[in-house]
Amino acid sequence: MMNHAHMTALAGRSGLSVCVLFILFNLSMTLTQASAQDAQSIVRVHIPGNSPSSMPFQIAEDEGFYAREGLKVRQLILKTGAGIQAMLGGDIDVSQATGPTVLAAFLQGAPLKVVMVFNDKPTYSLYVKKEIRSFADLKGAKIGSSTPGSTSDRLLKNVLEKNGVRWQKDTLIIYIGTTDVVLQAMRGGAIDGAVLTPPANFIARDAGFRELFSFENEVGALQGGVSATEAFLTKRPGTAKRFLRATLNGLRLFKSDRERALRSMMKAMGVPRELAERTYEGNVSAFVSNGLIAQDYQEKVLDFELKTIGTEKKVQRDKFFDFSIMKSLAANK
């Protein structure tokens, strides 16, 4: 730190008075401290896209929950893999992703934790053209899916196998991309069906496609929540707790206040009210209200995700899941 002798010497060289230098020095220190404090208040959140699973973040922003905690939240839309890489690189603080991609990185030594969950059951469904009436009719079909190894992709393959369809031989699974592209491919006849979530499933239904199977009873698939680096949790514990508290309030409002939830959905997802209503009703029962899942369900999630990744490794539940902050928030409600 600059002392009086240093300032006197600098004043002599620059022609400025010690008093002026002292004021400039103090201003510089104040701005530096303010910048550091401002950085502490910013939380960068990765989401794969605006969907029901990102609504707790959006609602917390729209309702001022983050602002009340002194936080500025920046949502960044990236594909799941890219978002996790950005988080590991320090460009993202937390991610909505809690599934196989996060666990795969964890198994490779990445210091990641799942600290909050939004849902305890999946909202995916398999939609097909109306001519397909049973799983037997899927033989030879082209089915659209998301990223290989993703939660929805693993669910699709599990369900096909359970219903006598050898997905590697009997079907052609095509990894297309965004929901808009998938819907366009379905309408154009390029694929015979696809795994969809609300509101895409309702759009497909209105276009003449039918639901062949709902994945809601498939155990172990998480669609949303909060994963974070250990650095964020340990170096910015106050910020982490305030962020999770505000996000929890967003989750609770999503569950309890339909009208306010619909406003945020229409704004973020760019859908009309009628579609937002159908989407809300198709999702709300899959969401938890406290950000937690029970220990036995955590084991089922790990089992599902390890099979999705295709590894025989075992993971200690408390090494991957850390609900300590969520439990403290529940205790202090």
Side-chain angles (χ1 to χ4, degrees):
M1 181 178 293
M2 187 180 295
N3 56 29
H4 185 270
H6 290 148
M7 285 191 288
T8 300
L10 182 59
R13 291 194 298 270
S14 64
L16 296 173
S17 69
V18 172
C19 181
V20 171
L21 281 175
F22 184 78
I23 293 172
L24 292 174
F25 175 72
N26 278 333
L27 178 60
S28 174
M29 289 295 292
T30 300
L31 290 173
T32 300
Q33 292 169 355
S35 177
Q37 291 171 353
D38 188 58
Q40 280 289 310
S41 72
I42 296 174
V43 179
R44 298 159 299 178
V45 180
H46 158 244
I47 63 172
N50 287 306
S51 70
S53 295
S54 66
M55 282 304 102
F57 302 125
Q58 188 63 48
I59 291 171
E61 179 67 31
D62 293 343
E63 296 292 329
F65 297 153
Y66 291 131
R68 289 175 205 167
E69 296 286 353
L71 300 175
K72 298 176 182 177
V73 171
R74 306 285 185 261
Q75 292 189 40
L76 298 104
I77 298 177
L78 295 168
K79 290 183 178 180
T80 300
I84 300 306
Q85 286 298 318
M87 185 162 63
L88 293 175
D91 297 316
I92 297 289
D93 297 307
V94 300
S95 172
Q96 176 194 313
T98 55
T101 305
V102 178
L103 182 60
F106 173 84
L107 290 173
Q108 294 173 7
L112 300 176
K113 299 273 191 180
V114 173
V115 296
M116 181 180 183
V117 297
F118 296 159
N119 71 290
D120 60 359
K121 64 182 71 171
T123 59
Y124 300 106
S125 295
L126 176 58
Y127 270 75
V128 295
K129 60 185 182 181
K130 59 185 179 181
E131 292 84 359
I132 297 175
R133 309 297 298 180
S134 68
F135 278 93
D137 296 334
L138 285 176
K139 293 185 178 180
K142 292 172 286 190
I143 305 174
S145 185
S146 58
T147 308
S150 64
T151 297
S152 60
D153 188 52
R154 182 66 253 172
L155 284 171
L156 170 64
K157 292 170 181 175
N158 283 351
V159 167
L160 291 176
E161 290 168 355
K162 287 179 182 179
N163 288 275
V165 180
R166 299 170 300 175
W167 60 268
Q168 293 171 306
K169 294 183 178 181
D170 297 337
T171 67
L172 177 61
I173 295 179
I174 303 174
Y175 299 102
I176 298 179
T178 63
T179 300
D180 289 345
V181 177
V182 171
L183 289 172
Q184 184 178 355
M186 290 177 71
R187 287 175 175 143
I191 56 177
D192 302 303
V195 178
L196 302 173
T197 57
N201 60 335
F202 298 119
I203 297 173
R205 185 182 301 174
D206 293 344
F209 293 85
R210 61 185 298 271
E211 181 184 79
L212 182 64
F213 191 85
S214 170
F215 298 166
E216 65 179 350
N217 293 320
E218 297 298 307
V219 176
L222 301 180
Q223 284 181 238
V226 179
S227 60
T229 61
E230 290 184 2
F232 177 68
L233 298 172
T234 58
K235 294 182 179 180
R236 302 173 63 191
T239 300
K241 186 170 185 176
R242 287 182 286 135
F243 171 78
L244 289 174
R245 179 164 50 221
T247 305
L248 177 59
N249 287 334
L251 173 61
R252 286 172 172 161
L253 189 147
F254 179 81
K255 290 280 289 184
S256 64
D257 195 320
R258 182 176 183 272
E259 283 304 311
R260 289 156 80 185
L262 287 175
R263 284 203 300 267
S264 286
M265 291 179 72
M266 289 186 287
K267 173 184 174 182
M269 297 169 59
V271 295
R273 182 180 176 89
E274 185 271 339
L275 188 53
E277 289 174 343
R278 294 166 72 186
T279 300
Y280 180 84
E281 299 301 333
N283 277 270
V284 66
S285 64
F287 281 68
V288 300
S289 58
N290 58 4
L292 300 167
I293 52 175
Q295 292 183 4
D296 62 337
Y297 199 79
Q298 293 173 37
E299 297 289 355
K300 292 175 182 177
V301 170
L302 285 174
D303 183 61
F304 171 83
E305 293 187 359
L306 289 169
K307 288 179 179 176
T308 299
I309 295 168
T311 179
E312 297 296 324
K313 292 183 179 179
K314 299 296 181 183
V315 177
Q316 287 183 256
R317 172 182 46 76
D318 58 355
K319 297 294 184 182
F320 185 61
F321 293 105
D322 182 358
F323 294 128
S324 57
I325 296 178
M326 299 309 302
K327 289 177 179 177
S328 71
L329 293 174
N332 295 325
K333 182 181 176 182

